[in-house]
Amino acid sequence: MLLSVENLRVSYGGIRALHGVDFQVAEGEIVCIIGANGAGKSTTLKAISRLVPAEPGSKMTYQGEDLLQYTPDKVASELGIVQVPEGRRIFGNLTVMENLKLATYARQDHEQIQEDLKRVFALFPRLAERKKQEGATLSGGEQQMLAVGRALMTGRRLMLLDEPSMGLAPLLMQDMFESLKEINQEGTTILLVEQNARMALRFAQRGYVLENGNLVLEGSSDELLTDPEVKQAYLGG
């Protein structure tokens, strides 16, 4: 198993956000976690990236390695786990090219870096057209492309995506998910958290439902799309 999470508990101050979450992601999979605002979806990704501390008793392993022994920078540079955060978080005062190059700071495989750059521009031609523009001048959709492209440039093996559809028009949203599917087919495992449950389940192979910090359902995407509780709560009945 590529990623295994057991009894994951996270608190903010005296408020517990995750109450012992368990799930797994196999290599090559696309797995989604769906749920309402405040369910703990983003906290789950931040815990995997080691951006928030897990409480004692939590266990997370990646390729058999204890994730809790890694700092956030080593999670990215040594393990190849990269997060595309909610809200994109690109560097607005840097150009598209500078944002992409900055993501390669820990890499030494210079030839592969150039190949990855070509791949980013093939997936997102708009970025190639705007590579000298500052990030702050891009549209919301272009900024999301840049956030995903930056993740690709890290030499990732596992990509964590936090609400990639947020703020995107329907057509751009569809294009983004098609690009992500190509990225997965080329060897990147994807764990996605997403409020747009229908889109997420159509994109992923398996899914988990998170409610108030607890995983309450899991199954194949087809199973969850037809589950009466999921349909009622997340798919508009």
Side-chain angles (χ1 to χ4, degrees):
M1 191 60 59
L2 186 67
L3 174 69
S4 180
V5 175
E6 299 176 33
N7 195 37
L8 177 59
R9 298 171 183 263
V10 175
S11 293
Y12 295 105
I15 301 173
R16 179 159 283 168
L18 296 176
H19 300 268
V21 169
D22 299 85
F23 65 91
Q24 296 181 324
V25 181
E27 187 158 10
E29 275 194 308
I30 303 174
V31 175
C32 69
I33 300 174
I34 63 172
N37 275 337
K41 303 187 305 297
S42 294
T43 296
T44 301
L45 294 192
K46 289 176 182 177
I48 295 168
S49 296
R50 305 293 293 122
L51 296 172
V52 297
E55 293 183 8
S58 302
K59 184 178 180 181
M60 293 190 292
T61 59
Y62 179 76
Q63 291 186 302
E65 295 280 341
D66 183 2
L67 262 178
L68 297 176
Q69 300 302 312
Y70 285 80
T71 57
D73 60 316
K74 300 301 183 185
V75 167
S77 64
E78 294 185 10
L79 298 182
I81 301 174
V82 60
Q83 184 166 339
V84 180
E86 181 181 351
R88 293 117 194 189
R89 304 287 183 88
I90 63 167
F91 295 100
N93 61 333
L94 300 182
T95 66
V96 167
M97 185 65 82
E98 288 168 339
N99 269 275
L100 295 174
K101 286 187 174 180
L102 191 61
T104 68
Y105 76 96
R107 297 180 62 178
Q108 302 297 323
D109 52 341
H110 301 294
E111 289 187 11
Q112 187 58 49
I113 288 173
Q114 293 306 309
E115 290 303 312
D116 286 347
L117 186 62
K118 290 177 185 176
R119 187 66 189 120
V120 169
F121 287 151
L123 278 169
F124 305 117
R126 291 191 197 185
L127 295 184
E129 296 168 6
R130 291 157 173 73
K131 60 186 176 183
K132 294 183 180 180
Q133 276 187 230
E134 290 188 353
T137 68
L138 302 177
S139 69
E142 290 163 351
Q143 289 185 10
Q144 187 65 59
M145 294 173 197
L146 180 54
V148 173
R150 182 178 60 183
L152 285 173
M153 293 303 296
T154 63
R156 78 288 143 204
R157 289 194 62 197
L158 171 62
M159 187 180 292
L160 311 176
L161 291 154
D162 194 348
E163 303 284 2
S165 74
M166 182 178 288
L168 298 186
L171 187 57
L172 275 178
M173 188 190 309
Q174 188 65 44
D175 288 345
M176 175 58 65
F177 277 97
E178 287 299 323
S179 296
L180 291 171
K181 190 158 285 189
E182 285 190 47
I183 291 167
N184 171 254
Q185 290 168 349
E186 292 167 1
T188 300
T189 304
I190 291 177
L191 175 60
L192 162 82
V193 303
E194 178 60 68
Q195 199 169 349
N196 186 331
R198 190 180 303 277
M199 177 66 79
L201 290 170
R202 286 176 174 169
F203 170 65
Q205 291 128 16
R206 291 193 302 113
Y208 296 87
V209 180
L210 192 61
E211 289 183 3
N212 300 317
N214 295 285
L215 283 176
V216 296
L217 280 172
E218 63 179 278
S220 71
S221 293
D222 288 342
E223 289 170 341
L224 292 177
L225 279 167
T226 56
D227 184 281
E229 292 182 29
V230 174
K231 290 174 74 173
Q232 180 65 33
Y234 303 107
L235 305 177

